[in-house]
Amino acid sequence: MPGSGLILGIESSCDETAAAVVERGARTVSSVVASQIATHARYGGVVPELASREHLRAIAPVVCAALAEARIGLGDLDAIAVTSGPGLAGALLVGITYAKALAFASRLPLIAVNHLEGHIHAVLLNERESDAAPEGRAGEDRADAHGDSALALVVSGGHTHLYLARPLGGAWSYTLAGRTVDDAAGEAFDKVAKLLGLGYPGGPWIDTLARFGNPRAVPFSFAQVKPKAHLGGKPPRTKAAATAPIAPLDPRLLFSFSGIKTAVLRHVERNGLRDEALRRMSAAPVHPRPPQTRDEALRLCSQQTLDLIASFQHAVVGDLMKKTFAAAESLGARRVLVTGGVAANRELRERFAQEASTRGLRMLFPTLALSTDNAAMIAAAAWPRFLQHMFAPSDLSAEPSLALR
Ligand code: KG4
Ligand code: ZN
């Protein structure tokens, strides 16, 4: 049974090394994130070998910093939680191996957490924190007391998945309702930014610049994904999509973002915007690099490019909205939550909030810090598992394509 209620979470599934201490899944005591963006930026995407190397460098100092910030030692913890998948195999293994060693040395139970469940719990953690009762009750399980199931859109650089999340006897159960059959939405943001000569990760750049363009200038559209092409029950063979078969899913809830990326490329070529993109890619003449500030980027973007960026973002957000609310309606969810890196997008937050209010649904987002990868969400997701003694086996290993159930 819980002693201190403190769980140390460790996350290393992609390009962030993170550790955090969370009390009873309801109060963040400390949270430390070491980002590898600077390492991967020059390649315009995450390089798996470099990610593992950087995790190896960062893991011990990051865990020490999280414990120091919480002013506790290992002996004050109830358990250690670690992301076991999905993610990059080598990157996951660094966190898992470190967490196993810590758990063994300190005789603490180890809890394996699915990264996608972590993103969902980022929102629940926020909800519990804002609900927290006074006098130190730390809001224990109060988010679950909201009772209702929630429709969750997990939208990041690696995922675009819709789940129905249900509180079930203290734990949570998840039913996959929809997903991308190719690229993740965040991946589309990153690829479009790259082809326009903007920096990595691309999402924040598109978000910033879209405010200066006309979102209706280029009429991008999304055709319904044809389920026929994916019969056979196997997960699609793309980086973003390898976590679950799609055959049983409602085709109206399938996403596809590879087409819009090609449409942007065609628009760039047809409208002579290529040279401008190349100029941006080498904004600095001596050591070529993309623009570093909003004003530098704006100076190097024609109105036509800004309109293209705004139209791209408008179309992607529109497609995410249409399918998320269709899923909420067909599954009878009264709460909608959007989480993952793309949930930081300003237009997305505004339009989802507006649509939810029109439909009388409760709309939830994580704080900006909890939208992107972090370990507080891992420690929070571990709490119901801790209460149910769902501990990891001693031979826990990385599961790069782990599905969420
Ligand atoms: O959740 P996350 O940190 O890592 C993954 O699990 O992938 O998400 C990173 C993704 C990147 O693709 C990044 O471009 C995107 O989230 N992103 C955004 C924004 N901030 C981050 N996309 C759109 N608008 C943003 N403001
Ligand atoms: Zn993530």
Side-chain angles (χ1 to χ4, degrees):
M1 268 339 279
S4 61
L6 297 173
I7 292 187
L8 169 70
I10 296 177
E11 153 68 36
S12 69
S13 66
C14 191
D15 59 346
E16 256 104 29
T17 319
V21 176
V22 174
E23 184 187 6
R24 295 171 197 275
R27 187 175 75 88
T28 307
V29 184
S30 68
S31 181
V32 177
V33 180
S35 170
Q36 303 178 2
I37 284 179
T39 304
H40 302 288
R42 78 186 74 161
Y43 304 100
V46 178
V47 182
E49 291 75 11
L50 294 184
S52 309
R53 194 189 68 189
E54 293 301 308
H55 284 307
L56 276 171
R57 279 198 185 139
I59 190 91
V62 163
V63 169
C64 287
L67 292 171
E69 203 179 280
R71 295 169 188 272
I72 58 164
L74 286 171
D76 299 309
L77 295 168
D78 268 353
I80 294 172
V82 65
T83 307
S84 61
L88 301 169
L92 287 164
L93 270 177
V94 175
I96 292 172
T97 312
Y98 195 81
K100 268 187 182 175
L102 270 191
F104 181 76
S106 51
R107 297 170 190 271
L108 286 168
L110 182 66
I111 300 169
V113 174
N114 183 308
H115 182 79
L116 301 176
E117 182 173 25
H119 274 301
I120 292 173
H121 277 263
V123 185
L124 301 174
L125 171 61
N126 281 153
E127 205 185 18
R128 289 179 190 127
E129 285 185 320
S130 57
D131 276 5
E135 276 107 47
R137 241 196 78 199
E140 191 173 347
D141 287 342
R142 281 167 60 94
D144 316 11
H146 287 290
D148 295 341
S149 53
L151 199 286
L153 168 65
V154 184
V155 63
S156 67
H159 304 94
T160 304
H161 285 49
L162 288 167
Y163 292 97
L164 183 67
R166 278 173 291 200
L168 201 74
W172 285 79
S173 81
Y174 306 92
T175 310
L176 183 70
R179 53 166 298 168
T180 179
V181 300
D182 44 49
D183 292 352
E187 210 176 340
F189 271 94
D190 294 338
K191 286 177 177 171
V192 164
K194 190 174 178 181
L195 82 87
L196 292 176
L198 297 167
Y200 174 84
W205 285 105
I206 302 260
D207 190 355
T208 302
L209 297 175
R211 286 163 221 176
F212 299 90
N214 172 7
R216 291 173 214 287
V218 188
F220 291 117
S221 61
F222 287 87
Q224 186 174 310
V225 179
K226 290 201 185 73
K228 238 184 6 217
H230 307 287
L231 285 178
K234 292 203 177 110
R237 292 164 60 92
T238 68
K239 178 183 105 174
T243 46
I246 63 151
L249 301 175
D250 179 344
R252 286 169 307 166
L253 303 182
L254 297 178
F255 298 94
S256 168
F257 293 106
S258 62
I260 192 162
K261 182 188 65 194
T262 315
V264 170
L265 179 61
R266 281 218 197 90
H267 185 91
V268 165
E269 280 165 357
R270 248 190 245 132
N271 292 277
L273 299 173
R274 188 113 194 103
D275 288 351
E276 189 191 313
L278 290 173
R279 270 200 301 280
R280 269 191 301 275
M281 256 173 233
S282 46
V286 182
H287 299 294
R289 52 147 180 81
Q292 304 291 295
T293 64
R294 185 191 76 169
D295 289 345
E296 192 184 357
L298 276 173
R299 260 199 317 277
L300 292 163
C301 283
S302 64
Q303 191 56 47
Q304 223 181 346
T305 294
L306 294 172
D307 289 348
L308 171 63
I309 290 171
S311 302
F312 163 77
Q313 178 172 285
H314 188 77
V316 171
V317 170
D319 188 60
L320 292 171
M321 251 175 53
K322 183 174 139 196
K323 289 166 184 168
T324 304
F325 285 102
E329 188 173 324
S330 79
L331 297 166
R334 306 297 310 152
R335 298 194 289 165
V336 173
L337 61 91
V338 183
T339 184
V342 182
N345 187 272
R346 195 166 88 163
E347 179 180 346
L348 182 148
R349 286 184 179 234
E350 284 171 6
R351 289 176 66 194
F352 267 77
Q354 203 164 23
E355 184 67 21
S357 129
T358 308
R359 292 171 179 254
L361 301 176
R362 188 138 185 259
M363 188 69 230
L364 300 161
F365 296 105
T367 56
L368 289 185
L370 286 186
S371 293
T372 47
D373 288 349
N374 65 86
M377 67 186 197
I378 303 303
W383 179 246
R385 290 178 185 270
F386 174 76
L387 291 178
Q388 307 220 333
H389 294 103
M390 292 166 72
F391 301 130
S394 57
D395 62 350
L396 176 72
S397 192
E399 288 194 66
S401 301
L402 183 64
L404 178 59
R405 294 198 177 82

